[in-house]
Amino acid sequence: MKDSKPLHEKKNTAILLIHCPDKQGILATVTEFLNENHGNIIYLDQYVDRVQKIFYMRVEWELADFAIPTAKIGEYFNTLIAARLNMDWKLYFSTDIPRMAVFVSTMSHCLFDILSRYTAQEWEVEIPLIISNHEDMRPVAERFGIDYFCFPVDSHNKAAQEAAELALLAEYRINFIVLARYMQILSEDFVSHYPNRIINIHHSFLPAFAGAKPYHAAYERGVKLIGATSHYVTGNLDAGPIITQDVTRCSHIDTVNSLIRKGRDLEKIVLSNAVFSHIQRKVLVYRNKTVVFN
Amino acid sequence: MKDSKPLHEKKNTAILLIHCPDKQGILATVTEFLNENHGNIIYLDQYVDRVQKIFYMRVEWELADFAIPTAKIGEYFNTLIAARLNMDWKLYFSTDIPRMAVFVSTMSHCLFDILSRYTAQEWEVEIPLIISNHEDMRPVAERFGIDYFCFPVDSHNKAAQEAAELALLAEYRINFIVLARYMQILSEDFVSHYPNRIINIHHSFLPAFAGAKPYHAAYERGVKLIGATSHYVTGNLDAGPIITQDVTRCSHIDTVNSLIRKGRDLEKIVLSNAVFSHIQRKVLVYRNKTVVFN
Amino acid sequence: MKDSKPLHEKKNTAILLIHCPDKQGILATVTEFLNENHGNIIYLDQYVDRVQKIFYMRVEWELADFAIPTAKIGEYFNTLIAARLNMDWKLYFSTDIPRMAVFVSTMSHCLFDILSRYTAQEWEVEIPLIISNHEDMRPVAERFGIDYFCFPVDSHNKAAQEAAELALLAEYRINFIVLARYMQILSEDFVSHYPNRIINIHHSFLPAFAGAKPYHAAYERGVKLIGATSHYVTGNLDAGPIITQDVTRCSHIDTVNSLIRKGRDLEKIVLSNAVFSHIQRKVLVYRNKTVVFN
Amino acid sequence: MKDSKPLHEKKNTAILLIHCPDKQGILATVTEFLNENHGNIIYLDQYVDRVQKIFYMRVEWELADFAIPTAKIGEYFNTLIAARLNMDWKLYFSTDIPRMAVFVSTMSHCLFDILSRYTAQEWEVEIPLIISNHEDMRPVAERFGIDYFCFPVDSHNKAAQEAAELALLAEYRINFIVLARYMQILSEDFVSHYPNRIINIHHSFLPAFAGAKPYHAAYERGVKLIGATSHYVTGNLDAGPIITQDVTRCSHIDTVNSLIRKGRDLEKIVLSNAVFSHIQRKVLVYRNKTVVFN
């Protein structure tokens, strides 16, 4: 169902995301390890939080000539480097294409934006599954040839429906979930299955106007900018780590309806930017805040 | 093929777009005319260019109780008001849904953005026709159930192909054309059939980087912002009246490819904003510049 | 002490700011009144809030040939127009230069920005008076030749000090007050003497991070944009009608200090934009929201 | 004449700016060199241009415990590292406060913005000297206690006046020059004395509207955004390496005068941002483009 040439080039690389207590020499140690083993670094970015004294790093290198077998990289890195430096680390391979599920309710703008990027191969991702609490978006899913399942949720069936959704997500081997204006609060239990792997778009500049009907609240307050915020979902509503935010100008002539309309463009672009950073494994979470590498 | 409830409400209104030499009392004269005839004004915006001494106005009123029959409004307005004040004016009715053709080449991002808004009924418009010089976008058109015609153009067949396109546009009763990254220059003759009714998106902040390969040129120059410009097409390449523009930040780390990627989001939003202003009959052109009412 | 040629031209005009219940014909009535009396309109903007059904208008006309004597315009307008249409209106004359007091504490960036515009004659305003609760900015005031008074405030002397300030403001015939990072909460009584005539700059994107230390709060929350908000002061802290807002991008690499630094540029520009709108009599307040004409 | 507590903290650090042909291990080599010699790194950013295959780096470390005497760092670094890796490098010490001259003509907004930051100690810089081709800004210089020299320039005396300016710059031991709306073109000879050390502000979004009267040109073209660009001055007018750019929205209602007014705020903020990057030694120039570290 993909109809374009991809915008990204095929790579055979490994990616390490690291954070650990800061001390002298971490950067030299990691880059030395890669150099010695003939790993050609094609991306490196690091950042030191000097308040918390935490070192953060993203490094990506080519596997072609790398001396350590791919299956052993994690073990070697852990033994030789990470354990000694008390590192929290994750290893990814560019050839493992992440598998994403989209949750929607009745609005199409974020879903269309995601599916058009998917079709145009802007992103290296697989989207095998769309889940909704309504039937409205089924025709869109069908148009793009993606499986669609509807789980209507009410106060009585929520636990059972979430269990069914989790089973489906497992069956489809889903790595992360995008809530594309899914107007249903996920339970803490559900969220705990995908920690820092559920991306939401909230239609306000958080922490302003958390909760329901932010455009109505923005209209009432008479703000001169409206915003959108993409964040990882945690047990606290609209309080998870923020990945990206943006705003657009409004004025006294805007009605709630025109704010909603302007907000749709913000929401879809902000959400897609956050998803793109996540897919590239450029987001690190620490203490409810994100490090988003360029 | 439209699958959502419309964002806009149905109206039964008339819209006047006016420009004329400025003098005292024009605004009072026009509003008096509407008031006397029981036209309830629901939108009024006006602007006076004090350098050129030109008065511009957009006024929209409800037809429900209007004393002049709809078919006679133009004649009455011309006789009683416009002729005396030397006005250039256009009259539209909200129940006349504009019919739009989309021209594309091989890139899908602007096309998808337009079609997703169309499907979501963000816009009061009909899109019966997509024309291209390549076959690439045919599957997208089919997915949305819109007729697709391919006219490959080379130096020998250009006049004939444009003639065929014009015939098709007439057959489909097309009011205006959107070039959604159509990578082919239209002849002056073709353009003259749709004056100020062909909307293009150029992938730079015009007048910087007019012509081919603007992202390559921006990369070479080392700019710190890239832009996109939507304008009406005239006989002068990339020099028509600008409807809207926007920019996004870039830096030394951007490659030509990442500029292209960032630019896609700019292009689609800027183009759609321009199309939305045009559909609402909020754009007036005078001496190669636009007045775009809010 | 002003050292440049003014950016603004001298005018001899009257300005009416109006709001009233909306009904047909208000605009025609007002413009007819001005036309009949030979008032050449050089600015007109109006807006109808269709939810609250309120009509808002700002109109400015030349007094040179106006048939009604300047001293009588208010009376005539009220009798012939305003009383019949239940209007709330204010009349200003461009030759009445507004007199502004600046309140500061210890930070100079907003004060310098205001005084540099004043010196460059960007604004048609008089600034005869700076009031502070600290001595720090006295050298700046002296450098610009403006009277400076220091009223240290503590929990015991607040009422007395505010009374002294009010006396001084009266003596200097001050029309409106600008709080240029004045880090002291004014009492409700004080505020009631200058309703919608005290302009504050709050260093966050309100309603996010109201109250003290917003940059620290923004840092803790991990937002990706910081903002500044200029608003009229009311009895409710940081909850008055918003005049203008803006934001700037930040990221994980920002410390509280770098947010403060970036925020200074935002604060001074946002505050000065709000002051400029106020000086031009382009701001109308209704039910804790503003209409800001272009 | 400085009247505030500094926003920056005093540091005793060394800063290396490096670029060289990219190859494996440069980063590890440099960081190892600093670690071995007990240089505590407090800032590190690097970037590889994979098209040109150039490695860029900025690293800053504390001198307190550094094993190599300060006066010998350059020599050691060159011998042990730079010569072997074919590096182009510059070494700075945070205790060497850069000395800046400001060139102005008749407009005060950029000058005031610079001097207010200087007074507020936002920047670690000395500004002992202001040079102008007019007398207009002398009162501003006096108000801030800075030496002011006026060199009127015409077609006959240009070479002599520039020679006198160069002598003065040498006498004041000036490291870099900021053209704060200096409306006079410097000769190639003059520029060659301060390569990549003369910062200009051009009042357009370059490369659009290079040359004279860009706001008039923007008005004529009917653009919907105006911009400002800060760049290093080279022998080619308005074509030097861009340091930073920004834009602000405009519309049909803007006159040339209101564009000029809006542009002033852009110009002063863009110029000051560029100057701040330069003062922090965060700008590297290579082949007419800049790398600006965060």
Side-chain angles (χ1 to χ4, degrees), chain B residues 204-268:
Chain B
S204 85
F205 178 74
L206 287 175
F209 309 127
K213 292 198 174 280
Y215 292 126
H216 290 76
Y219 175 81
E220 283 308 315
R221 182 62 186 91
V223 292
K224 302 301 186 185
L225 295 167
I226 52 166
T229 303
S230 190
H231 62 94
Y232 288 117
V233 176
T234 62
N236 294 324
L237 184 65
D238 299 333
I242 293 170
I243 307 168
T244 184
Q245 306 187 282
D246 208 353
V247 295
T248 200
R249 206 153 285 283
C250 62
S251 79
H252 61 271
I253 72 168
D254 282 294
T255 59
V256 171
N257 263 350
S258 70
L259 295 182
I260 290 173
R261 178 189 289 277
K262 286 181 174 181
R264 290 163 75 130
D265 283 4
L266 262 185
E267 293 161 25
K268 73 185 189 189

Side-chain angles (χ1 to χ4, degrees), chain D residues 50-294:
Chain D
R50 297 190 191 284
V51 177
Q52 305 285 345
K53 301 195 191 312
I54 308 289
F55 174 90
Y56 298 89
M57 184 175 188
R58 182 190 187 277
V59 61
E60 181 170 1
W61 69 98
E62 293 175 332
L63 292 173
D65 301 319
F66 199 53
I68 304 172
T70 300
K72 292 284 185 184
I73 295 173
E75 179 196 325
Y76 278 46
F77 180 75
N78 195 54
T79 306
L80 300 173
I81 312 274
R84 297 176 191 181
L85 288 162
N86 202 15
M87 280 177 174
D88 201 326
W89 59 276
K90 286 202 180 112
L91 178 67
Y92 301 97
F93 298 102
S94 62
T95 49
D96 290 345
I97 309 300
R99 294 172 66 81
M100 158 178 160
V102 185
F103 279 46
V104 288
S105 288
T106 61
M107 275 171 291
S108 65
H109 56 291
C110 289
L111 179 62
F112 264 126
D113 198 64
I114 288 166
L115 296 182
S116 66
R117 291 169 200 272
Y118 180 51
T119 306
Q121 297 201 53
E122 270 190 43
W123 294 341
E124 278 216 278
V125 73
E126 291 298 329
I127 307 180
L129 177 61
I130 297 172
I131 286 178
S132 182
N133 54 343
H134 292 89
E135 285 291 346
D136 304 49
M137 291 298 110
R138 187 180 292 278
V140 178
E142 284 171 356
R143 201 177 292 182
F144 285 84
I146 298 174
D147 292 354
Y148 186 92
F149 295 87
C150 183
F151 295 92
V153 179
D154 61 32
S155 51
H156 302 296
N157 71 357
K158 183 160 177 170
Q161 293 292 62
E162 286 196 348
E165 288 164 3
L166 284 169
L168 204 59
L169 294 166
E171 183 192 328
Y172 276 80
R173 291 172 296 118
I174 294 300
N175 301 111
F176 74 106
I177 297 166
V178 173
L179 309 183
R181 298 299 311 275
Y182 180 64
M183 306 303 279
Q184 181 72 37
I185 296 168
L186 298 169
S187 73
E188 266 200 72
D189 175 66
F190 185 100
V191 171
S192 70
H193 285 78
Y194 290 89
N196 297 327
R197 290 189 286 141
I198 305 174
I199 301 173
N200 187 39
I201 180 72
H202 183 75
H203 40 313
S204 84
F205 179 75
L206 289 175
F209 309 126
K213 292 200 175 276
Y215 293 126
H216 290 77
Y219 174 80
E220 283 308 314
R221 182 61 187 90
V223 292
K224 302 301 186 184
L225 297 167
I226 52 166
T229 303
S230 189
H231 62 93
Y232 288 118
V233 175
T234 62
N236 295 322
L237 185 64
D238 298 332
I242 293 170
I243 306 169
T244 184
Q245 304 187 283
D246 208 352
V247 295
T248 200
R249 204 154 287 284
C250 61
S251 79
H252 61 270
I253 71 168
D254 282 296
T255 59
V256 171
N257 262 351
S258 70
L259 296 182
I260 289 172
R261 178 187 289 276
K262 286 181 174 183
R264 289 162 75 128
D265 282 3
L266 262 184
E267 292 161 26
K268 73 186 189 188
I269 299 293
V270 167
L271 177 59
S272 286
N273 283 341
V275 171
F276 185 48
S277 291
H278 183 90
I279 289 171
Q280 297 176 289
R281 286 93 174 204
K282 289 194 166 174
V283 190
L284 258 164
V285 176
Y286 184 68
R287 294 193 185 172
N288 211 46
K289 291 166 71 169
T290 61
V291 170
V292 183
F293 290 110
N294 279 317

